[in-house]
Amino acid sequence: YEGPFGARLLTCPDDCIQSLVALIDEADNTLDISVQYFDLGWHWGYGDNPLIEAIERAANRSVSVRLLINGYYMNDDIQETVNHFNHRLNMTDGLSVEARIMAPSDDITKLHDKNMIVDGEWSLFSSINWGSNSALRNREMGLAIEHVGLAEHQTLIFEEDWNRLDTSTDTDGDGLSDEEEANLGTYPDFPDSDGDGFTDGEEVDAGSNPMDSASTPQDGGDGGGDGGDCLSGGPPDNDATAQGDD
């Protein structure tokens, strides 16, 4: 890539978090983030997570945020982060925020990236994991480059990973893979698409309709049930929610 460019060096534990927060705070339109992991709770030094706070500030000024996260080592911490983005920030707060677990391909097993694309202009390349241990206890380096052509290239890669589906990745943990949800037309980011108190997986297993709140496992899928008490509410009817296929 040729032409004028801007650059910022990020160094941990010296100034990397302040620099990451500054990049997020400068976003006007979009933030596309792909990371190996993203800890909600920070165990060293900061207390509250400054990156989560910066992302929430961005979303509250109408920046669209997408988080793609590695699912190879799927655990409760990763699910908690995904749920925070999809359930709290999107469904509850109505913000344009979405998180997905990256599905593998024949050539790609894990997401080991620590990348961010800001407004289609800045691209971050770094070794910095988004957790307090990496930020405060490790020597990590990152380089943010301002160049539209490079950002376009990075966005193409992000979109390829974002849109890939398979039969095992389950972003919302409802027992249906993201690919199954795309085929069914249910919401891959929300475990209870119709808000009737039963997860989509429970409804499919029982033969009820996961997109019809009147059809529940309690009534055999025929309608008229009272719903369960495992979940409440469905996705909001707004542009922040992605349904089925993209």
Side-chain angles (χ1 to χ4, degrees):
Y1 294 94
E2 299 179 351
F5 66 91
R8 298 180 188 176
L9 180 65
L10 291 72
T11 306
C12 294
D14 306 320
D15 62 6
C16 62
I17 295 306
Q18 293 90 332
S19 297
L20 281 172
V21 168
L23 281 168
I24 295 169
D25 282 342
E26 292 169 10
D28 293 319
N29 300 302
T30 58
L31 284 171
D32 289 335
I33 303 164
S34 56
V35 289
Q36 181 178 4
Y37 64 85
F38 190 175
D39 290 341
L40 288 185
W42 281 38
H43 310 293
W44 304 100
Y46 275 94
D48 293 334
N49 185 330
L51 298 178
I52 285 287
E53 292 177 342
I55 287 170
E56 292 182 2
R57 287 195 300 271
N60 276 295
R61 60 176 186 272
S62 300
V63 174
S64 294
V65 181
R66 295 187 294 178
L67 171 68
L68 187 64
I69 195 165
N70 179 51
Y72 187 84
Y73 301 110
M74 191 67 189
N75 58 30
D76 291 342
D77 290 337
I78 293 173
Q79 192 67 62
E80 182 185 13
T81 298
V82 170
N83 291 347
H84 180 80
F85 274 67
N86 292 334
H87 302 175
R88 222 293 306 277
L89 300 181
N90 184 308
M91 184 166 66
T92 301
D93 296 347
L95 301 174
S96 183
V97 172
E98 185 178 0
R100 288 188 185 177
I101 305 298
M102 190 198 78
S105 70
D106 292 339
D107 301 319
I108 302 171
T109 303
K110 305 173 186 176
L111 178 61
H112 202 254
D113 204 359
K114 296 94 178 176
N115 178 43
M116 179 169 63
I117 307 162
V118 183
D119 289 340
E121 298 176 0
W122 283 91
S123 303
L124 173 67
F125 305 87
S126 83
S127 67
I128 306 165
N129 282 311
W130 286 36
S132 58
N133 191 66
S134 180
L136 295 175
R137 293 162 62 97
N138 294 352
R139 174 61 75 203
E140 309 278 0
M141 305 292 287
L143 185 65
I145 300 175
E146 184 183 23
H147 189 286
V148 171
L150 180 58
E152 289 175 348
H153 171 76
Q154 293 302 105
T155 299
L156 288 174
I157 295 173
F158 182 91
E159 294 288 353
E160 177 182 339
D161 292 340
W162 179 263
N163 291 313
R164 186 170 51 250
L165 300 174
D166 70 358
T167 58
S168 59
T169 303
D170 180 10
T171 291
D172 57 12
D174 63 359
L176 297 177
S177 72
D178 292 353
E179 183 174 83
E180 288 176 300
E181 301 225 44
N183 293 332
L184 289 168
T186 52
Y187 295 93
D189 302 335
F190 303 96
D192 180 14
S193 291
D194 57 9
D196 63 1
F198 295 94
T199 68
D200 297 340
E202 288 174 327
E203 297 223 45
V204 169
D205 288 344
S208 57
N209 186 347
M211 291 300 290
D212 181 1
S213 60
S215 171
T216 72
Q218 283 187 339
D219 55 51
D222 296 327
D226 295 327
D229 57 8
C230 55
L231 291 167
S232 61
D237 185 16
N238 61 34
D239 293 336
T241 303
Q243 177 177 1
D245 55 317
D246 298 293

